[in-house]
Every structure is written in structure tokens, then in C-alpha cells.
Amino acid sequence: MAYKRTEPINENTLFYGDNLPILRERIPNASVDLIYLDPPFNSNRNYNVLFKDEQGTESEAQIIAFKDTWNWDYSAAQSYHELLVHGEPKVAGMIEALHRFIGENQMMAYLVMMATRLVELHRVLKPTGSLYLHCDPSASHYLKVMMDTVFGAENFRNEIIWAYRGGGTPRKDFGRRHDVILRYSKTDEYNFHPDLIRVPYQAEGLGRTDASMWGKHKGTNKVYKPNPLGKVPEDWWIMNTLNANDPERLGYPTQKPLTLLERIIHASSEPGDWVLDPFCGCGTTIAAAQKLGRKWIGIDITHLSIALLKYRLQDMFPSINFKVVGEPIDIGAARQLALDNRYQFQYWATSLVKAKPISDKKGADKGIDGVITFIDADGEPKRVIVQVKSGHVKSGDIRDLVGTLDREGAAIGVFITLENPTRDMVKEALSAGYYRSPGAYGKDYLRIQIFTIADLLREAEIKMPREFGTFKQAQRANQAEGDQSVFDVD
């Protein structure tokens, strides 16, 4: 099936939205040098969970982000039908066989979702390109069959085992402490740069006699001479995950260490190459690509991820320039987002004031949609609580926010509204009084501040002490390996 595509991308770009239509409509054929993807898989749950029927309980975060993708519903059935009717015969046969074996459940919905996207990822990859698919053992066997079908079994390069330590041990199982990374190329002309990823030899291996280095005459041998740069890593990589106190950690639950992505990017791309991550999350792939002088494209379906990634890039690379596609830029687009998905509207709205969104929507949210933490002049941590409304608003909403402010002991409350506030709302906000900063001049700030989305699109800011940090700030990157000028594409 043919899809209309726009002009080639010529600048670093973040896309908000479902990656399937973005791939089909925005990414040209054979335009990407390296693809890394770590599709959400709920790996913190029992690994059989995707076989549950439609009454099974999903992770709340995944319901919010992937509700239309993870369940076997009309969308999944339509994608399955499309693969059967319009897919290449090999792909159609593979997905039909899996459907007969697995049935119609969450695992099959996941595999259909992956199959449609892998077909597109194969299309956008250059002949010299490589794809790294990160997954866990609960579906890696299915995904390898799928990758063999889409990319060709002859283009399988490695099954990399990423091993790491972790706390806790199951009572009746061995501890699960590894992920799988399936590495495929598009052709046998793929790029690979071993000298850029060499690691130190183990001490016991140095100076050994290696039978493969024997001379021509029996009984003579040569001492193995190690490469001065070290050895090429095996297909098992021992790298720790990010612990809670790691300075690199940003608080995103599935964040991967930069060293993991740096090894992949060094191995299979060159400075100036295009790197694509269609499930970019908090953006470790994008940050590593930027640091190493590559051009990049990131896609994610949640405004939470896009907001966190924007903050991360700006912290790590203060002079960075990039394009964001898919975020609302006017009131009309904001209204449409609110109609489409009110949670995503809340995530986006809180990102406009750099608040950390409260994503637990299992029960009552206690009137808090976002939080900003700041350290005032007295050295004590204080909070700004944020509430977002996309529908009709009234003075009672402000009274409720004042009550929440008092209950939580917060310093300032921010009310974000899509509609203009009423005169009574403004009066209620003013009557709430002021928060006095204990700084040298005892500056006062309104306890309740009202902002419309239109205000925030015009870059209005919360009046508050400025020494604050919502998300953990990413460390500034040393970009010696890739100068900013690399990214100035005509």
C-alpha cells in the first residue's frame, strides 16, 4: 500500500504521535543509517501477562500511552487484515501462522503492532544500515521470527545479551537479569566500526599462546599479540542499569544508560549519519546521537516523553537547535488534543510550565495534575501544585484549589485552563493572598495564579522563586566528539 510522503527531513526532529503514520508519511525510503528501538513491553510484570484476556489488568501508564495499540480491538484487527491483504507474502504468512498459534489477545495485538512498524523500519533503512531491537525474553523468540521474515534470516547479525545486576530474587525462579537486543542489517554491505567499541582485555588473556596463531612448522607457535585498542566485545554485554542515585538518572522508569547506546551508535554509524528511535521515551538514543555528532529523529506517543526529552536536550546541550512536530501551537490544536485524550492534554499543559505531571490516574488525583519543587532562600524545599482544566471552569474550581493548597502545605497553586477565567475566578484567586519568600527582600507571590493555554503559548511564566528544578536536571554533555556545526544541514 502506497502512502504520500513529505520532503526529506533535514534537521534534528522530535515527532509527537503514533510512529506508524509518522513513519509512513514523513520518513523517506532508505534515508536512515541506524535504528534503535525499545518498544514498551511492560517488562516489570509477570512475563505471561500479555496472554491475559481482555479482562486482565494492564499497567496504568501503558493504558494511558498505548490504549489503542495493546488490546486486541478493531485497530489491531484492522492492522492484521492489512498485513494479510497488502503485506509481502512472507510477512502475511508469518503473521497468519502466529495468529493461529497465539489467538486474539494482548500478545497478538503487540506482535501485529510490531510487524506493521518493522515493515516500515525496513523500508526507511539504508542498504548499509543496521537495526537494533531491544526486548526482553518474554517476546524475543516471537520477535526474532518476525525479524527473520521482514529483514531476511541471512541478515541476522547478533543476539546481544545485556546482563545487569538487580535487587530481589524470585522464590521459585532464577533471577531475571538480562535483556535481549536483536541486531539485523538490511544487506550484507552494512557498516560496522570495531575499533570504536573495543574494550580492555581480561588480564588472564594477555600473553597467552593461541593455537590459531601457530606457524607453518609443527611445534612452533606464536604468542598472541593483543590489539593495542583492546578487543571487540562479545555478544554479551555486562553493563549495570541506572540505580536510583545515578547522576544520569532522570526518573523515567525504562531509562537506559548512555553507555549502552553509545556503544551501539559507535559500532553501526558514523558522524553525520541519521539515527532513528521510533519509541524514544526519555531520549537516551537521541542524547547519545547528539553527543556523538549524529543527526537524529525521535518519535513518541506521549507528551510526557516529549517534554522530558526537550528538557534533557536543553540541559545537556545548551546551544542545541531542533524541531518539534505534533505539539499544539495554537488554541485550535490544543482543543483538539483535549478532545482526543484529556490525559495527554494534561501532560502537554503541565509541560508548558515545566511541571512534573502526576501520572497515577487509578483513583482520585487529589486535585493535582503536576508539581514543581523549588528551594527557596531558607534552604527548604517548597512545592507549586498545578491543576489543569480543559472544560467549563467556575469560581468553585479556584476554591477547591485553595483547599488543595492548604491540605498539601504547598506554597503556590497554578490553575491552567483552556477557557478564559470568569471574573469571580479572578476574585477568588486574589482573595487567596500571597506566598512570601523568605529571601533578603521578602518578595511576595500570588498563592493562586491563573493561566490560560493562550497565555502559556505566548510564553507567560509562573511568578515564583526561580531556583527550582522539576525534573532531575541532566548533566551537561561533553560534546568534543561531535561539534554542533555537524547539525547545520542545508
Side-chain angles (χ1 to χ4, degrees):
M1 182 181 294
Y3 293 89
K4 182 179 179 181
R5 298 188 178 95
T6 57
E7 295 299 316
I9 296 171
N10 58 13
E11 59 184 312
N12 296 329
T13 305
L14 288 178
F15 288 98
Y16 162 74
D18 184 344
N19 54 28
L20 184 58
I22 291 170
L23 287 167
R24 286 172 169 173
E25 298 166 12
R26 305 300 294 264
I27 314 298
N29 295 345
S31 61
V32 175
D33 299 278
L34 171 63
I35 299 170
Y36 169 86
L37 64 156
D38 180 14
F41 196 69
N42 293 342
S43 57
N44 290 330
R45 303 184 303 173
N46 182 299
Y47 77 94
N48 286 321
V49 74
L50 288 177
F51 287 99
K52 286 185 177 179
D53 62 24
E54 294 307 309
Q55 279 66 51
T57 301
E58 274 279 8
S59 161
E60 187 71 17
Q62 294 298 342
I63 288 176
I64 293 171
F66 298 96
K67 184 174 181 180
D68 295 332
T69 303
W70 284 97
N71 301 304
W72 186 265
D73 54 11
Y74 175 78
S75 177
Q78 187 178 41
S79 296
Y80 173 68
H81 177 77
E82 180 182 315
L83 286 167
L84 291 185
V85 175
H86 300 290
E88 294 184 5
K90 291 189 301 182
V91 175
M94 174 270 300
I95 203 69
E96 184 180 17
L98 287 174
H99 181 262
R100 286 199 305 269
F101 171 62
I102 296 172
E104 295 180 352
N105 50 36
Q106 291 173 324
M107 174 61 85
M108 193 62 210
Y110 170 76
L111 295 175
V112 167
M113 179 272 287
M114 285 300 301
T116 56
R117 285 153 178 82
L118 288 171
V119 168
E120 293 302 319
L121 293 173
H122 180 268
R123 176 186 61 79
V124 306
L125 196 62
K126 291 181 181 178
T128 54
S130 299
L131 180 144
Y132 290 73
L133 171 56
H134 194 138
C135 53
D136 76 1
S138 51
S140 60
H141 47 302
Y142 294 121
L143 292 172
K144 190 172 187 299
V145 170
M146 192 173 290
M147 290 290 292
D148 282 347
T149 305
V150 175
F151 280 74
E154 70 278 8
N155 290 317
F156 168 71
R157 300 299 163 199
N158 288 107
E159 181 181 67
I160 299 165
I161 301 301
W162 174 34
Y164 43 80
R165 296 186 182 93
T169 303
R171 290 180 56 237
K172 300 177 68 176
D173 295 299
F174 297 107
R176 300 187 181 100
R177 298 291 184 270
H178 81 274
D179 287 4
V180 176
I181 303 175
L182 301 174
R183 172 178 168 249
Y184 281 75
S185 64
K186 190 168 185 177
T187 69
D188 60 3
E189 299 296 325
Y190 58 94
N191 290 322
F192 190 71
H193 307 289
D195 286 347
L196 297 179
I197 57 170
R198 292 183 182 273
V199 296
Y201 292 93
Q202 293 180 342
E204 62 268 21
L206 297 176
R208 75 180 190 275
T209 300
D210 193 328
S212 66
M213 300 295 289
W214 280 18
K216 294 181 179 179
H217 301 288
K218 185 177 181 180
T220 66
N221 57 10
K222 296 180 180 180
V223 176
Y224 178 73
K225 295 182 179 180
N227 188 304
L229 298 176
K231 67 175 182 178
V232 177
E234 293 85 356
D235 59 3
W236 45 271
W237 300 353
I238 300 177
M239 294 182 185
N240 282 339
T241 57
L242 299 176
N243 63 51
N245 298 319
D246 196 299
E248 187 181 319
R249 190 165 183 83
L250 301 174
Y252 196 85
T254 58
Q255 182 179 350
K256 301 302 184 291
L258 271 169
T259 51
L260 179 70
L261 273 300
E262 286 173 358
R263 176 176 289 183
I264 290 171
I265 291 170
H266 270 311
S268 296
S269 69
E270 300 175 358
D273 281 354
W274 282 98
V275 177
L276 166 66
D277 187 340
F279 296 90
C280 64
C282 71
T284 301
T285 306
I286 304 307
Q290 176 79 15
K291 180 181 176 183
L292 300 180
R294 275 63 168 173
K295 295 172 285 191
W296 49 262
I297 302 167
I299 310 171
D300 204 273
I301 199 169
T302 71
H303 282 291
L304 173 61
S305 292
I306 296 299
L308 181 57
L309 181 46
K310 288 192 298 184
Y311 304 151
R312 183 180 192 176
L313 291 173
Q314 290 160 1
D315 290 339
M316 293 181 70
F317 314 99
S319 62
I320 190 172
N321 292 307
F322 56 90
K323 184 177 182 180
V324 181
V325 177
E327 285 192 321
I329 59 174
D330 55 36
I331 290 297
R335 291 186 189 281
Q336 188 60 53
L337 176 60
L339 289 172
D340 291 343
N341 189 315
R342 68 185 184 93
Y343 290 132
Q344 292 302 326
F345 176 80
Q346 288 176 2
Y347 292 155
W348 170 73
T350 54
S351 78
L352 297 177
V353 294
K354 294 189 175 181
K356 183 176 182 179
I358 303 301
S359 59
D360 183 4
K361 300 297 181 181
K362 295 177 183 178
D365 61 11
K366 298 182 179 180
I368 304 174
D369 296 314
V371 174
I372 300 170
T373 302
F374 67 94
I375 306 297
D376 212 336
D378 58 0
E380 294 296 322
K382 310 288 176 63
R383 289 194 303 159
V384 176
I385 59 175
V386 179
Q387 190 174 97
V388 179
K389 294 291 185 181
S390 57
H392 175 71
V393 290
K394 57 189 183 304
S395 59
D397 295 326
I398 301 301
R399 289 193 293 272
D400 290 343
L401 180 56
V402 172
T404 303
L405 194 67
D406 293 337
R407 184 192 71 224
E408 298 292 324
I412 296 171
V414 172
F415 189 86
I416 299 176
T417 171
L418 190 55
E419 306 297 335
N420 289 324
T422 66
R423 183 177 300 178
D424 288 342
M425 291 173 65
V426 174
K427 287 181 179 180
E428 288 286 349
L430 291 172
S431 68
Y434 292 84
Y435 164 74
R436 170 155 288 194
S437 172
Y441 300 104
K443 189 171 181 180
D444 292 335
Y445 302 92
L446 281 170
R447 287 187 74 214
I448 300 295
Q449 300 177 32
I450 302 175
F451 294 90
T452 66
I453 292 296
D455 294 333
L456 297 177
L457 289 174
R458 291 191 294 265
E459 300 185 350
E461 294 185 345
I462 301 171
K463 301 298 188 293
M464 60 176 290
R466 300 315 302 170
E467 295 299 322
F468 71 92
T470 301
F471 294 96
K472 184 177 177 183
Q473 189 171 18
Q475 294 179 313
R476 185 165 179 170
N478 178 358
Q479 207 173 346
E481 297 175 73
D483 187 81
Q484 180 66 31
S485 62
V486 171
F487 308 107
D488 294 331
V489 182
D490 292 334

Short mmCIF file of all heavy atoms in Angstrom, two decimals, residues 205-240:
data_model
loop_
_atom_site.label_atom_id
_atom_site.label_comp_id
_atom_site.label_asym_id
_atom_site.label_seq_id
_atom_site.Cartn_x
_atom_site.Cartn_y
_atom_site.Cartn_z
N GLY A 205 44.01 -13.20 29.73
CA GLY A 205 44.10 -13.49 28.31
C GLY A 205 45.34 -12.91 27.65
O GLY A 205 45.69 -13.28 26.54
N LEU A 206 46.00 -11.99 28.32
CA LEU A 206 47.16 -11.34 27.72
C LEU A 206 48.37 -12.27 27.76
O LEU A 206 48.66 -12.93 28.76
CB LEU A 206 47.48 -10.04 28.47
CG LEU A 206 46.39 -8.97 28.42
CD1 LEU A 206 46.79 -7.78 29.27
CD2 LEU A 206 46.15 -8.53 26.98
N GLY A 207 49.11 -12.30 26.65
CA GLY A 207 50.34 -13.08 26.60
C GLY A 207 50.14 -14.57 26.47
O GLY A 207 51.09 -15.33 26.55
N ARG A 208 48.88 -15.01 26.24
CA ARG A 208 48.64 -16.44 26.14
C ARG A 208 49.13 -16.97 24.79
O ARG A 208 49.29 -16.21 23.83
CB ARG A 208 47.16 -16.76 26.31
CG ARG A 208 46.31 -16.43 25.11
CD ARG A 208 44.85 -16.79 25.37
NE ARG A 208 44.05 -16.70 24.17
CZ ARG A 208 43.50 -15.58 23.71
NH1 ARG A 208 43.68 -14.46 24.36
NH2 ARG A 208 42.78 -15.59 22.60
N THR A 209 49.35 -18.27 24.71
CA THR A 209 49.68 -18.91 23.45
C THR A 209 48.39 -19.33 22.78
O THR A 209 47.57 -20.01 23.38
CB THR A 209 50.57 -20.14 23.67
OG1 THR A 209 51.77 -19.69 24.31
CG2 THR A 209 50.90 -20.83 22.36
N ASP A 210 48.19 -18.90 21.55
CA ASP A 210 46.95 -19.15 20.84
C ASP A 210 47.21 -20.11 19.70
O ASP A 210 47.99 -19.82 18.79
CB ASP A 210 46.40 -17.83 20.29
CG ASP A 210 44.97 -17.99 19.82
OD1 ASP A 210 44.62 -19.09 19.37
OD2 ASP A 210 44.21 -16.99 19.90
N ALA A 211 46.56 -21.27 19.74
CA ALA A 211 46.80 -22.30 18.72
C ALA A 211 46.48 -21.79 17.33
O ALA A 211 47.07 -22.23 16.34
CB ALA A 211 45.98 -23.55 19.04
N SER A 212 45.55 -20.85 17.21
CA SER A 212 45.18 -20.34 15.90
C SER A 212 46.30 -19.49 15.30
O SER A 212 46.27 -19.16 14.12
CB SER A 212 43.91 -19.52 15.99
OG SER A 212 44.12 -18.36 16.76
N MET A 213 47.30 -19.12 16.10
CA MET A 213 48.39 -18.29 15.62
C MET A 213 49.66 -19.11 15.37
O MET A 213 50.74 -18.57 15.21
CB MET A 213 48.68 -17.18 16.65
CG MET A 213 47.51 -16.25 16.94
SD MET A 213 47.03 -15.29 15.51
CE MET A 213 48.42 -14.16 15.41
N TRP A 214 49.54 -20.43 15.35
CA TRP A 214 50.70 -21.29 15.13
C TRP A 214 51.33 -20.99 13.78
O TRP A 214 50.67 -20.64 12.81
CB TRP A 214 50.30 -22.77 15.16
CG TRP A 214 50.15 -23.29 16.56
CD1 TRP A 214 50.00 -22.57 17.70
CD2 TRP A 214 50.15 -24.66 16.95
NE1 TRP A 214 49.90 -23.37 18.79
CE2 TRP A 214 49.98 -24.67 18.37
CE3 TRP A 214 50.27 -25.87 16.27
CZ2 TRP A 214 49.95 -25.86 19.09
CZ3 TRP A 214 50.23 -27.05 16.98
CH2 TRP A 214 50.07 -27.04 18.39
N GLY A 215 52.68 -21.20 13.74
CA GLY A 215 53.40 -21.01 12.47
C GLY A 215 53.21 -22.20 11.55
O GLY A 215 52.47 -23.13 11.84
N LYS A 216 53.93 -22.21 10.46
CA LYS A 216 53.77 -23.27 9.46
C LYS A 216 54.38 -24.59 9.92
O LYS A 216 53.96 -25.64 9.45
CB LYS A 216 54.41 -22.85 8.14
CG LYS A 216 53.71 -21.65 7.49
CD LYS A 216 54.38 -21.31 6.17
CE LYS A 216 53.67 -20.13 5.50
NZ LYS A 216 54.31 -19.76 4.21
N HIS A 217 55.37 -24.53 10.78
CA HIS A 217 56.08 -25.76 11.15
C HIS A 217 55.56 -26.28 12.48
O HIS A 217 55.38 -25.52 13.43
CB HIS A 217 57.59 -25.49 11.26
CG HIS A 217 58.17 -24.98 9.98
ND1 HIS A 217 58.34 -25.76 8.86
CD2 HIS A 217 58.59 -23.72 9.64
CE1 HIS A 217 58.86 -25.03 7.88
NE2 HIS A 217 59.01 -23.79 8.33
N LYS A 218 55.33 -27.55 12.50
CA LYS A 218 54.78 -28.16 13.69
C LYS A 218 55.71 -27.93 14.88
O LYS A 218 56.92 -28.04 14.77
CB LYS A 218 54.59 -29.67 13.46
CG LYS A 218 53.91 -30.38 14.61
CD LYS A 218 53.69 -31.85 14.28
CE LYS A 218 53.00 -32.55 15.44
NZ LYS A 218 52.78 -33.98 15.12
N GLY A 219 55.13 -27.65 16.00
CA GLY A 219 55.91 -27.44 17.20
C GLY A 219 56.34 -26.01 17.41
O GLY A 219 56.92 -25.69 18.45
N THR A 220 56.10 -25.17 16.44
CA THR A 220 56.40 -23.75 16.64
C THR A 220 55.09 -23.01 16.78
O THR A 220 54.11 -23.35 16.14
CB THR A 220 57.21 -23.16 15.47
OG1 THR A 220 56.37 -23.18 14.32
CG2 THR A 220 58.48 -23.96 15.23
N ASN A 221 55.10 -22.03 17.61
CA ASN A 221 53.89 -21.23 17.77
C ASN A 221 54.27 -19.78 18.02
O ASN A 221 55.43 -19.45 18.21
CB ASN A 221 53.01 -21.77 18.90
CG ASN A 221 53.75 -21.83 20.23
OD1 ASN A 221 54.86 -21.31 20.37
ND2 ASN A 221 53.14 -22.47 21.20
N LYS A 222 53.26 -18.94 17.94
CA LYS A 222 53.46 -17.53 18.14
C LYS A 222 52.66 -17.06 19.35
O LYS A 222 51.56 -17.56 19.59
CB LYS A 222 53.02 -16.74 16.90
CG LYS A 222 53.83 -17.05 15.65
CD LYS A 222 53.33 -16.22 14.48
CE LYS A 222 54.13 -16.51 13.22
NZ LYS A 222 53.65 -15.71 12.06
N VAL A 223 53.22 -16.13 20.05
CA VAL A 223 52.50 -15.54 21.18
C VAL A 223 51.47 -14.57 20.63
O VAL A 223 51.77 -13.73 19.77
CB VAL A 223 53.45 -14.82 22.14
CG1 VAL A 223 52.67 -14.12 23.25
CG2 VAL A 223 54.45 -15.82 22.74
N TYR A 224 50.25 -14.72 21.09
CA TYR A 224 49.15 -13.84 20.64
C TYR A 224 49.46 -12.40 21.01
O TYR A 224 49.78 -12.09 22.16
CB TYR A 224 47.84 -14.29 21.29
CG TYR A 224 46.67 -13.43 20.96
CD1 TYR A 224 46.09 -13.48 19.70
CD2 TYR A 224 46.13 -12.56 21.90
CE1 TYR A 224 44.99 -12.70 19.38
CE2 TYR A 224 45.04 -11.76 21.60
CZ TYR A 224 44.48 -11.83 20.34
OH TYR A 224 43.40 -11.04 20.03
N LYS A 225 49.39 -11.51 20.05
CA LYS A 225 49.65 -10.10 20.28
C LYS A 225 48.32 -9.34 20.31
O LYS A 225 47.66 -9.21 19.28
CB LYS A 225 50.56 -9.54 19.19
CG LYS A 225 51.96 -10.14 19.20
CD LYS A 225 52.83 -9.51 18.12
CE LYS A 225 54.23 -10.10 18.16
NZ LYS A 225 55.10 -9.50 17.10
N PRO A 226 47.94 -8.85 21.46
CA PRO A 226 46.64 -8.17 21.54
C PRO A 226 46.63 -6.86 20.79
O PRO A 226 47.66 -6.19 20.64
CB PRO A 226 46.46 -7.96 23.04
CG PRO A 226 47.84 -7.92 23.59
CD PRO A 226 48.63 -8.89 22.75
N ASN A 227 45.46 -6.49 20.29
CA ASN A 227 45.30 -5.20 19.65
C ASN A 227 45.49 -4.11 20.71
O ASN A 227 44.91 -4.19 21.79
CB ASN A 227 43.89 -5.11 19.05
CG ASN A 227 43.70 -3.87 18.19
OD1 ASN A 227 43.91 -2.76 18.64
ND2 ASN A 227 43.28 -4.08 16.95
N PRO A 228 46.31 -3.10 20.43
CA PRO A 228 46.56 -2.07 21.45
C PRO A 228 45.30 -1.31 21.86
O PRO A 228 45.27 -0.68 22.92
CB PRO A 228 47.57 -1.14 20.77
CG PRO A 228 47.44 -1.41 19.31
CD PRO A 228 47.07 -2.86 19.19
N LEU A 229 44.24 -1.36 21.02
CA LEU A 229 42.99 -0.67 21.36
C LEU A 229 42.06 -1.53 22.20
O LEU A 229 41.02 -1.05 22.67
CB LEU A 229 42.26 -0.25 20.08
CG LEU A 229 42.99 0.75 19.17
CD1 LEU A 229 42.19 0.99 17.90
CD2 LEU A 229 43.24 2.06 19.91
N GLY A 230 42.43 -2.81 22.39
CA GLY A 230 41.56 -3.71 23.13
C GLY A 230 40.85 -4.68 22.21
O GLY A 230 41.17 -4.79 21.02
N LYS A 231 39.89 -5.41 22.76
CA LYS A 231 39.17 -6.43 21.99
C LYS A 231 37.77 -5.94 21.64
O LYS A 231 37.19 -5.09 22.32
CB LYS A 231 39.07 -7.73 22.77
CG LYS A 231 38.19 -7.63 24.02
CD LYS A 231 38.01 -8.99 24.68
CE LYS A 231 37.08 -8.89 25.89
NZ LYS A 231 36.84 -10.20 26.52
N VAL A 232 37.22 -6.50 20.56
CA VAL A 232 35.82 -6.24 20.21
C VAL A 232 34.94 -7.01 21.21
O VAL A 232 35.18 -8.18 21.46
CB VAL A 232 35.52 -6.69 18.77
CG1 VAL A 232 34.04 -6.49 18.45
CG2 VAL A 232 36.39 -5.92 17.80
N PRO A 233 33.94 -6.36 21.78
CA PRO A 233 33.10 -7.05 22.77
C PRO A 233 32.42 -8.29 22.18
O PRO A 233 32.10 -8.35 20.99
CB PRO A 233 32.05 -6.00 23.15
CG PRO A 233 32.66 -4.69 22.78
CD PRO A 233 33.52 -4.95 21.59
N GLU A 234 32.21 -9.28 23.04
CA GLU A 234 31.42 -10.44 22.65
C GLU A 234 29.95 -10.02 22.56
O GLU A 234 29.61 -8.86 22.75
CB GLU A 234 31.59 -11.56 23.68
CG GLU A 234 32.99 -12.16 23.74
CD GLU A 234 33.94 -11.39 24.64
OE1 GLU A 234 33.53 -10.34 25.18
OE2 GLU A 234 35.09 -11.84 24.80
N ASP A 235 29.09 -10.99 22.26
CA ASP A 235 27.68 -10.66 22.14
C ASP A 235 26.96 -10.74 23.49
O ASP A 235 25.74 -10.85 23.54
CB ASP A 235 26.99 -11.56 21.11
CG ASP A 235 27.08 -13.04 21.43
OD1 ASP A 235 27.64 -13.39 22.51
OD2 ASP A 235 26.61 -13.86 20.63
N TRP A 236 27.70 -10.68 24.57
CA TRP A 236 27.12 -10.49 25.89
C TRP A 236 27.80 -9.29 26.53
O TRP A 236 29.00 -9.19 26.58
CB TRP A 236 27.25 -11.74 26.76
CG TRP A 236 28.61 -12.40 26.73
CD1 TRP A 236 29.05 -13.35 25.87
CD2 TRP A 236 29.72 -12.12 27.59
NE1 TRP A 236 30.35 -13.70 26.11
CE2 TRP A 236 30.79 -12.95 27.18
CE3 TRP A 236 29.91 -11.25 28.67
CZ2 TRP A 236 32.03 -12.95 27.81
CZ3 TRP A 236 31.15 -11.24 29.29
CH2 TRP A 236 32.19 -12.09 28.87
N TRP A 237 26.97 -8.36 26.96
CA TRP A 237 27.46 -7.08 27.48
C TRP A 237 27.05 -6.96 28.93
O TRP A 237 25.86 -7.00 29.26
CB TRP A 237 26.88 -5.90 26.70
CG TRP A 237 27.21 -5.90 25.23
CD1 TRP A 237 28.05 -6.73 24.56
CD2 TRP A 237 26.68 -5.01 24.24
NE1 TRP A 237 28.09 -6.42 23.23
CE2 TRP A 237 27.26 -5.37 23.00
CE3 TRP A 237 25.77 -3.95 24.29
CZ2 TRP A 237 26.95 -4.70 21.82
CZ3 TRP A 237 25.48 -3.28 23.12
CH2 TRP A 237 26.06 -3.65 21.89
N ILE A 238 28.02 -6.81 29.80
CA ILE A 238 27.74 -6.61 31.21
C ILE A 238 27.81 -5.12 31.50
O ILE A 238 28.89 -4.52 31.52
CB ILE A 238 28.72 -7.39 32.10
CG1 ILE A 238 28.61 -8.89 31.80
CG2 ILE A 238 28.44 -7.11 33.57
CD1 ILE A 238 29.59 -9.74 32.58
N MET A 239 26.65 -4.50 31.65
CA MET A 239 26.54 -3.08 31.98
C MET A 239 25.42 -2.93 33.00
O MET A 239 24.33 -3.46 32.79
CB MET A 239 26.17 -2.25 30.74
CG MET A 239 27.20 -2.20 29.65
SD MET A 239 26.59 -1.11 28.31
CE MET A 239 27.90 -1.34 27.11
N ASN A 240 25.69 -2.24 34.05
CA ASN A 240 24.65 -2.06 35.06
C ASN A 240 23.56 -1.12 34.56
O ASN A 240 23.81 -0.21 33.78
CB ASN A 240 25.24 -1.51 36.35
CG ASN A 240 25.94 -2.59 37.16
OD1 ASN A 240 25.67 -3.78 36.97
ND2 ASN A 240 26.85 -2.18 38.02
#
